[in-house]
Amino acid sequence: MASPRRAAAAKAYLKSSLTFFGNSVPELRRATQRLVRQHRESTREQLRAVVDGLWSGRVYERWTVGVLLLESYPHALDRRDLPFVRRLILRGHWWNYVDDLAVHVAGPIVERDAVACRTMERWSRDPDLWVRRGGLLALLPGLKRGTIPFRLFDRVAVPRLSERDFFMRKALGWILREAGKHDPAPVAAFLRRHSDVVSPLTRREAIKYLPARLRRGL
């Protein structure tokens, strides 16, 4: 049920100018699941049209359901839809939307399509911070499963190490931390190789789950 108190708290927490009705995320997930069950065979064109409609105003709950719908059809979209995802990132322009769009919507596309990986390299150099962050985070699912080589992340991440923005430094540390769970040696080597430019924030995140033998000196 919508709650004015929850709406005010969420709006303050997210520092958002959107309108909030006060529905909880579990409620929004359940509503999305009902829609998915009713429309299992939706095409990519239908899916995009629905999401465009949900994002046509400035209502938090509608935007959130739009993202959850995209996440619910991971094989409906392909590399042709990455400009659409980028437009949503530019419109959302804040971590809660950017991270879900990058990891859970762009991520599955990138993981199965090498050409999409090259698009993420371009995103990582975009003038907009949130597109750059999205370009890096879209590599995360593949890095965690070992289906995207760490050398690709290395190539796109090094130019970003000198950025001073908190959200970029946090994203770099998050990706390194999760990649290290799958294959810690390249992560430790990356941190040593770039120790002069890796920020303390990125390093703290990156080493959280590294084996003790690899954490020495980091």
Side-chain angles (χ1 to χ4, degrees), residues 19-84:
T19 296
F20 284 69
F21 294 146
N23 296 97
S24 69
V25 173
E27 288 172 336
L28 298 177
R29 289 191 183 278
R30 288 193 291 272
T32 304
Q33 289 164 2
R34 288 194 294 271
L35 285 173
V36 172
R37 285 196 296 270
Q38 295 165 8
H39 303 281
R40 294 184 186 277
E41 305 304 319
S42 296
T43 66
R44 60 184 288 272
E45 291 80 8
Q46 291 169 331
L47 180 60
R48 285 182 51 161
V50 169
V51 174
D52 271 334
L54 289 167
W55 277 58
S56 61
R58 291 187 56 79
V59 177
Y60 164 79
E61 285 81 359
R62 289 168 61 91
W63 284 24
T64 301
V65 169
V67 176
L68 291 172
L69 278 173
L70 292 175
E71 293 178 16
S72 299
Y73 294 89
H75 297 288
L77 304 182
D78 57 37
R79 75 174 77 137
R80 295 171 294 172
D81 300 295
L82 290 174
F84 169 68

Side-chain angles (χ1 to χ4, degrees), residues 119-126 131-132 135-136 156 160:
T119 300
M120 293 306 103
E121 292 191 59
R122 292 196 296 274
W123 282 20
S124 75
R125 301 188 298 270
D126 195 274
V131 177
R132 293 198 303 277
L136 294 176
V156 300
R160 307 277 68 83

Side-chain angles (χ1 to χ4, degrees), residues 79-95:
R79 75 174 77 137
R80 295 171 294 172
D81 300 295
L82 290 174
F84 169 68
V85 177
R86 183 179 181 275
R87 286 197 299 274
L88 294 179
I89 286 175
L90 286 169
R91 184 156 167 74
H93 227 243
W94 196 234
W95 61 267

